[in-house]
Amino acid sequence: MAAKQKKRYVMVIDTLLCIGCGDCVVACKMENEVPDGLSRDWVVEEVQGEFPNLHVEYRSERCNHCSNPPCVYACPTGASFIDEDSNITLVDPELCTGCKSCVAACPYDARFIMPEGYVSKCTFCMHRVNDGEDPACVSVCPTHCMYFGDLNDPESEVSQLLKQRQHKTIAPETGTDPNIFYLT
Amino acid sequence: MPTSFNRRDFIKIGAAAGIGTAMVGPSLFRRHPTARTTYPRQQGDLIETSPTYCEICFWKCAGWVHSKNGKPWKVVGHPEDQHSHGRLCTRGTGGIGAYTDPERLKRPLIRVEERGEQVFREVSWDEALDYIAHKLSVIKETHGPESLAMFSHGTGASHWKTLTKAYGSACITAPSFAQCRGPRAAGFYLTYGDVVGSPERTDIANSRCMVLIGSHLGENLHNGQVQEMGTFLANGGEMIVVDPRFSTAAGKAKHWLPIKPSTDLALILAWIHVLIEEELYDRDYVERYTTGFEQLKEAVATNTPEWAYPITTIEPAVIRETARTMARYAPATLVHPGRHVTWYGDDTQRSRAIAILNALLGSWGREGGFYIPQTAQVPEYPHPEYPEPSWKMCEETQKIFPYALSPVASHIRDMTVAPPAPDKQVKAWLVYGSNLILSLPDIEKTIQAIQNLDLLVVIDIMPAEICGWADVVLPEATYLERYDDLRISPGRRPQIALRAPAFEPMYDTKPSGWIVKKLAAKMGLSQYFPWEDDEDYLDWRLRQIGSSLDEMLEIGVKTLPSQGPLYFPPGADVTFNTPSGMIELYSEQLEQYGFDPIPVYRAHQEPPAGYYRLIQGRSPFHTFARTTNNPILTELQDENTLWVHPTTAKDWGLETGQYVHLENQDGKHSTFPIRVQITERIRTDCVYMVHGFGHSQKQMSRSYGKGMDDNELVTNVDVDPIMGGTGRRSNFVTFKLENATPMEAA
Ligand code: SF4
């Protein structure tokens, strides 16, 4: 029997469609019961140019589930780890001491401390992905600007999109090898 | 015995006296689970779902409310629903916040006087409803039942409308007509004999070219339309956006026309001119379906792009190019009619011009333009005939505004102050879900009208400003805690949706179905409410179309067989519901009332030196003032900002983040300050803020004093003489830089 191929889950977000409505942020909060005042994803608005020659880009951002994750390296207890079958980066609350090394190490400011004292962040809604569903943010986006899938599968929608369209990642210079791609 | 007040003082809802001030009811914070885990769904969790349709805005998306282990969890869209296609918008996704908001109205309140001060006393439902029933019977005897006016916004209003009619009044209004989309309704009705409706019959998903005129889809999250805009853009649709602001939509558009505010009609006429001059219009469509083309051609002969340029600041070449773009994709070109269109008092004429432009492109009744909507036919529960009122408000309104298609809220307000005849007085208001203080322009006059009333009853979820003026406040259960009437709305297919309670009502709140039935019994009007309860009512109606309440509880949304084609079949004869049976490019109806039969551009007031036109809009995170206290949504935005161009900012020495006060042309000073947001995304002659902030009710702690209420700066209202709309964009503001500290510091 062939070994099950490891997945590389990525998110592909079309900035040409994103309207910055924040539905992804609220859907995540509700789905994952994120406490008041905290959130696992957020929207960035970037304005360039001068009136009337302007360009606005909205980006839904979150943990990049980096293939080269500084947070995991920074964790002294092994609480931060990459899921075995995928590249999903997770935190084990039982092992986390709340030392914040990972929070400082993450170039995307994706991590935060829960009121209970452990670190939390985006999980790509692993509980939903395991059930064959899209992450909550992807499933709610009103303009369908977000895609989720396995980049190791060349036939997947995300693979196809990255083949056909111009794209970028955030802060690639940090060498994190991020897995959130933005179509431009 | 009910007391009566010569003058109502504004009461802060927090100032309750008498019985029942102790807090009871279930715990408020239900969203945060106790599990120390990154995985919110665990084995053995009990997940229950129940159907609803959203009430956070008027779009009414159907969805499923999920609870986990008996606690509210989330609301998600219903995949079969035409309004949401399985995806709720930001606000609907955060809808549970309406339920968990600890600052909701909790118990019925009655205004009483204690030690010379007016306060609210918490009372039982029986006492509140007895009070209302008694007052209404006295009012009926003294002034006749026609003196009751009902203001509605929202689904639960249906019960109150029934009660109003049963009582003997036809005076039912929705501020959404004269304060929002009425001009569009009148303009399209006069042209096509039909309205655009809600949800709009716009076929955006199939459009190739879409023109937005001041409409900021994407910031207003009318869910279905925003989703279709996504499809449209993904398919390479070309968008033309006319807006003094670089809106989100402008950022997605091929052409942004940063028009000088108040001149849109000139641009539309120039476009019409180009289509005719260059013979780009749909000749066959125009010949087959329209009347008045020759008069139109003559009327716009001088409206050249060169004529429009100094008015609009849009270059003639751009006007020509965009007109040609529209023609290239026609009839799959949609000149969007907008929704909130009460701007300058000539709004019906501007809507007419948009209707005419669409007719020239042949887009009405065509794929990619406007489809023919289908609505499910569901019989009404039988009830006795309503008594015939001796006079009707809509007839009074139409004497002044001939195309007021529904009674005009601001006009009823005005008639409450100055009745048209001694025997035509308005003495009682039922205000359902409609914060008239923030939604009707000219707040002073609204308060003056309220002082003339014998009874003001407010039915609401939140202690909105209007509650502070009420004699009786009735706390309604949220949409997540109640049944409502079926959602029967126009769409591409006939479809119905059910709202069922997902949770028990919190505190001492009740659904309107329950409240009204009980009140009707006290008023001797039970025969108009012959059903047992909400379930019996709904089941009866559903059985008439071969469904049942049980079925709908299972499926939530039911799509019925199609009633006909969505578009005019090619070459088909179509009779329009106009006097001529044709699309009326030239309107004899308007001419007969002395209005321009073809729209004519007339200049509007300009801001004085040092003043800027105040423009208002929507945010994707809120449904105007309704949600600005929602604990989930305030995390995304808890105050509005004032968009200011860098040049303006430089002139005034402003910095982003700084708080400023504003004063308008009439010397009206803002109550609360607003944060400056310096941005290239706006012209220099106007400033912009999102409507719905700057609440003055202390009880709503998350919204009290946060941001600015644009409505208080709207003291100049340009009334649309055709339908009574209240144009609000000829108000000009200047900066007041002293003492502009934010609320917390003040
Ligand atoms: S558009 Fe949003 S707020 Fe309005 S009904 Fe739909 S989900 Fe609710």
Side-chain angles (χ1 to χ4, degrees):
Chain A
M1 212 169 78
K4 202 168 120 206
Q5 205 204 351
K6 185 171 149 32
K7 297 207 189 299
R8 180 174 173 195
Y9 284 121
V10 304
M11 218 176 255
V12 175
I13 300 175
D14 191 343
T15 61
L16 301 186
L17 296 182
C18 177
I19 54 171
C21 71
D23 208 353
C24 46
V25 177
V26 181
C28 171
K29 279 197 78 107
M30 303 309 295
E31 176 70 30
N32 295 299
E33 300 171 302
V34 181
D36 293 347
L38 301 172
S39 66
R40 295 182 180 186
D41 55 349
W42 60 92
V43 176
V44 173
E45 175 189 309
E46 255 176 38
V47 184
Q48 280 165 8
E50 276 181 22
F51 183 97
N53 300 309
L54 290 159
H55 177 77
V56 175
E57 180 175 289
Y58 294 102
R59 284 194 310 268
S60 172
E61 296 189 356
R62 57 189 53 60
C63 165
N64 274 273
H65 296 277
C66 308
S67 297
N68 193 24
C71 53
V72 174
Y73 307 145
C75 179
T77 68
S80 278
F81 66 103
I82 299 184
D83 171 58
E84 256 187 307
D85 303 323
S86 66
N87 57 303
I88 300 182
T89 310
L90 297 169
V91 180
D92 182 343
E94 298 302 325
L95 295 178
C96 177
T97 60
C99 76
K100 299 191 190 138
S101 302
C102 60
V103 176
C106 171
Y108 305 102
D109 206 8
R111 296 176 162 240
F112 55 86
I113 309 274
M114 291 284 278
E116 293 86 345
Y118 63 88
V119 164
S120 177
K121 64 166 198 72
C122 165
T123 64
F124 268 167
C125 281
M126 198 178 187
H127 60 290
R128 291 174 60 98
V129 174
N130 286 343
D131 284 355
E133 295 172 315
D134 276 335
C137 54
V138 175
S139 76
V140 82
C141 174
T143 63
H144 291 246
C145 80
M146 305 173 74
Y147 304 83
F148 181 79
D150 179 11
L151 199 56
N152 284 344
D153 171 4
E155 298 307 315
S156 68
E157 200 175 21
V158 287
S159 297
Q160 295 296 321
L161 279 166
L162 292 185
K163 240 177 258 160
Q164 292 154 10
R165 298 266 309 264
Q166 269 192 348
H167 56 267
K168 64 177 181 188
T169 54
I170 308 297
E173 67 281 2
T174 55
T176 55
D177 201 356
N179 284 305
I180 311 272
F181 297 87
Y182 295 92
L183 302 178
T184 55
Chain B
M1 257 302 93
T3 30
S4 113
F5 297 90
N6 294 330
R7 191 179 165 86
R8 287 176 182 78
D9 294 335
F10 179 79
I11 306 180
K12 303 224 154 61
I13 297 281
I19 60 150
T21 40
M23 295 298 172
V24 288
S27 145
L28 305 170
F29 297 101
R30 295 178 161 203
R31 277 177 295 130
H32 180 49
T34 50
R36 269 173 63 95
T37 173
T38 342
Y39 314 103
R41 206 158 62 205
Q42 296 186 318
Q43 222 138 55
D45 272 343
L46 173 65
I47 310 293
E48 289 168 296
T49 57
S50 73
T52 191
Y53 57 89
C54 180
E55 187 74 15
I56 302 295
C57 89
F58 43 75
W59 205 260
K60 299 188 171 65
C61 299
W64 293 101
V65 187
H66 293 236
S67 69
K68 193 190 325 179
N69 304 324
K71 292 190 175 173
W73 180 21
K74 61 179 180 181
V75 196
V76 295
H78 192 304
E80 215 189 298
D81 173 36
Q82 307 190 93
H83 298 219
S84 73
H85 310 286
R87 293 166 183 240
L88 299 184
C89 83
T90 316
R91 301 158 300 155
T93 304
I96 282 179
Y99 166 79
T100 55
D101 191 336
E103 294 174 337
R104 285 170 59 177
L105 290 169
K106 300 185 174 72
R107 262 162 231 98
L109 303 172
I110 289 185
R111 173 182 297 264
V112 292
E113 200 158 271
E114 278 184 7
R115 292 178 289 279
E117 205 191 332
Q118 293 181 13
V119 289
F120 282 125
R121 186 160 61 84
E122 294 187 338
V123 296
S124 66
W125 277 98
D126 260 321
E127 188 176 346
L129 298 180
D130 280 337
Y131 180 96
I132 298 168
H134 172 80
K135 279 271 188 177
L136 283 175
S137 81
V138 174
I139 290 167
K140 193 182 224 167
E141 269 168 43
T142 330
H143 301 284
E146 300 82 0
S147 63
L148 171 66
M150 198 226 145
F151 298 79
S152 83
H153 195 275
T155 317
S158 65
H159 308 282
W160 294 94
K161 289 180 189 167
T162 307
L163 184 77
T164 304
K165 288 186 247 174
Y167 178 73
S169 174
C171 185
I172 298 170
T173 183
S176 54
F177 181 75
Q179 278 67 55
C180 190
R181 58 195 170 98
R184 179 184 86 181
F188 275 72
Y189 180 75
L190 283 159
T191 313
Y192 295 100
D194 206 349
V195 296
V196 179
S198 178
E200 281 82 357
R201 60 203 292 178
T202 45
D203 200 18
I204 301 173
N206 297 307
S207 297
R208 306 284 316 286
C209 171
M210 177 158 69
V211 185
L212 298 180
I213 303 170
S215 162
H216 50 327
L217 268 188
E219 281 152 289
N220 67 37
L221 275 194
H222 305 160
N223 195 352
Q225 297 207 62
V226 171
Q227 293 193 25
E228 292 198 29
M229 182 170 79
T231 309
F232 163 86
L233 291 170
N235 292 340
E238 236 181 86
M239 197 147 65
I240 299 166
V241 172
V242 180
D243 203 313
R245 217 167 46 88
F246 192 70
S247 59
T248 300
K252 311 289 180 197
K254 176 108 182 265
H255 310 270
W256 172 43
L257 280 53
I259 194 166
K260 179 174 167 188
S262 83
T263 67
D264 310 77
L265 181 50
L267 173 67
I268 302 165
L269 293 175
W271 274 336
I272 292 175
H273 173 96
V274 175
L275 290 184
I276 295 176
E277 183 201 77
E278 300 189 7
E279 299 197 354
L280 296 170
Y281 63 94
D282 186 331
R283 190 178 286 268
D284 177 65
Y285 187 95
V286 166
E287 273 170 20
R288 197 183 289 272
Y289 298 129
T290 74
T291 163
F293 179 75
E294 287 307 319
Q295 288 125 306
L296 174 69
K297 183 174 178 179
E298 205 183 312
V300 299
T302 54
N303 299 134
T304 60
E306 289 69 23
W307 164 81
Y309 175 44
I311 300 172
T312 59
T313 73
I314 305 300
E315 307 244 2
V318 173
I319 298 179
R320 288 213 159 77
E321 189 195 340
T322 44
R324 289 171 196 150
T325 302
M326 290 182 223
R328 182 157 68 248
Y329 294 111
T333 293
L334 173 73
V335 185
H336 196 286
R339 187 161 175 126
H340 181 274
V341 291
T342 45
W343 302 345
Y344 302 109
D346 60 354
D347 307 304
T348 301
Q349 292 288 14
R350 190 184 60 254
S351 293
R352 272 266 299 152
I354 291 173
I356 291 169
L357 184 56
N358 277 299
L360 294 181
L361 296 163
S363 63
W364 182 266
R366 296 282 195 70
E367 188 169 356
F370 296 82
Y371 63 79
I372 305 166
Q374 310 199 349
T375 308
Q377 303 302 320
V378 187
E380 289 295 330
Y381 201 109
H383 59 76
E385 284 280 304
Y386 297 124
E388 184 61 23
S390 68
W391 62 279
K392 287 189 181 154
M393 183 57 82
C394 53
E395 288 164 7
E396 294 301 318
T397 309
Q398 283 173 359
K399 283 182 197 161
I400 302 172
F401 307 113
Y403 289 95
L405 305 178
S406 99
V408 168
S410 43
H411 182 238
I412 293 173
R413 186 259 325 261
D414 297 353
M415 303 238 315
T416 308
V417 176
D423 57 345
K424 290 179 180 170
Q425 306 227 21
V426 180
K427 281 299 185 187
W429 287 4
L430 286 179
V431 179
Y432 179 90
S434 169
N435 192 4
L436 299 179
I437 303 294
L438 265 72
S439 62
L440 290 187
D442 198 346
I443 298 173
E444 300 299 318
K445 199 154 190 196
T446 306
I447 292 169
Q448 201 187 341
I450 289 171
Q451 300 298 0
N452 280 5
L453 295 173
D454 288 348
L455 179 67
L456 171 54
V457 179
V458 172
I459 307 102
D460 216 314
I461 310 263
M462 294 304 296
E465 281 72 7
I466 184 71
C467 296
W469 298 100
D471 296 308
V472 187
V473 178
L474 301 178
E476 199 190 20
T478 64
Y479 72 108
L480 298 170
E481 304 160 298
R482 66 183 205 232
Y483 280 110
D484 260 311
D485 210 341
L486 298 169
R487 186 197 78 188
I488 305 170
S489 48
R492 291 190 173 88
R493 292 280 302 274
Q495 192 178 67
I496 59 170
L498 176 74
R499 172 183 295 158
F503 319 119
E504 284 292 311
M506 281 221 256
Y507 315 107
D508 198 8
T509 64
K510 297 284 181 197
S512 273
W514 181 95
I515 305 170
V516 173
K517 202 165 153 50
K518 202 164 162 80
L519 178 57
K522 292 180 189 288
M523 292 167 68
L525 298 172
S526 283
Q527 67 273 28
Y528 295 96
F529 302 85
W531 45 87
E532 269 306 281
D533 52 21
D534 289 334
E535 295 188 351
D536 175 42
Y537 170 88
L538 289 165
D539 192 53
W540 188 93
R541 290 196 77 189
L542 287 164
R543 285 190 184 279
Q544 310 313 304
I545 55 161
S547 179
S548 66
L549 182 58
D550 281 343
E551 183 192 47
M552 287 303 285
L553 284 166
E554 282 292 313
I555 60 176
V557 162
K558 191 174 175 82
T559 309
L560 302 168
S562 174
Q563 298 160 339
L566 280 181
Y567 312 110
F568 300 158
D573 283 335
V574 180
T575 308
F576 296 85
N577 181 32
T578 55
S580 63
M582 314 275 275
I583 299 171
E584 303 198 334
L585 305 179
Y586 183 93
S587 175
E588 287 180 9
Q589 300 189 81
L590 283 176
E591 187 178 37
Q592 165 203 328
Y593 284 102
F595 299 120
D596 296 327
I598 288 170
V600 175
Y601 170 75
R602 290 187 185 82
H604 295 285
Q605 267 171 277
E606 299 274 335
Y611 284 75
Y612 306 86
R613 191 182 295 272
L614 175 62
I615 299 182
Q616 311 88 358
R618 303 276 181 249
S619 145
F621 314 127
H622 288 288
T623 306
F624 25 90
R626 259 189 178 194
T627 56
T628 39
N629 206 62
N630 176 313
I632 299 168
L633 300 178
T634 46
E635 281 196 32
L636 281 88
Q637 182 184 22
D638 67 350
E639 63 184 323
N640 54 358
T641 58
L642 187 74
W643 288 34
V644 177
H645 187 273
T647 312
T648 314
K650 203 162 157 235
D651 289 348
W652 290 86
L654 303 175
E655 277 173 38
T656 285
Q658 157 185 10
Y659 280 95
V660 294
H661 270 291
L662 298 178
E663 191 175 280
N664 79 357
Q665 71 287 339
D666 296 328
K668 177 75 191 167
H669 196 275
S670 52
T671 307
F672 302 111
I674 187 168
R675 256 185 218 275
V676 169
Q677 181 181 344
I678 300 172
T679 175
E680 293 281 348
R681 295 174 64 185
I682 189 163
R683 287 172 60 101
T684 52
D685 51 5
C686 51
V687 291
Y688 169 81
M689 72 173 76
V690 166
H691 170 75
F693 288 88
H695 277 284
S696 56
Q697 271 285 26
K698 278 199 170 138
Q699 177 69 6
M700 300 195 287
S701 64
R702 275 177 303 279
S703 57
Y704 171 68
K706 297 278 178 65
M708 193 179 284
D709 171 22
D710 59 293
N711 197 41
E712 66 175 349
L713 298 169
V714 177
T715 50
N716 176 40
V717 180
D718 292 330
V719 176
D720 191 322
I722 301 175
M723 48 59 71
T726 50
R728 47 191 299 138
R729 292 207 175 161
S730 287
N731 287 275
F732 310 110
V733 295
T734 192
F735 299 96
K736 290 285 154 189
L737 299 174
E738 311 287 319
N739 303 324
T741 37
M743 257 328 290
E744 305 88 79

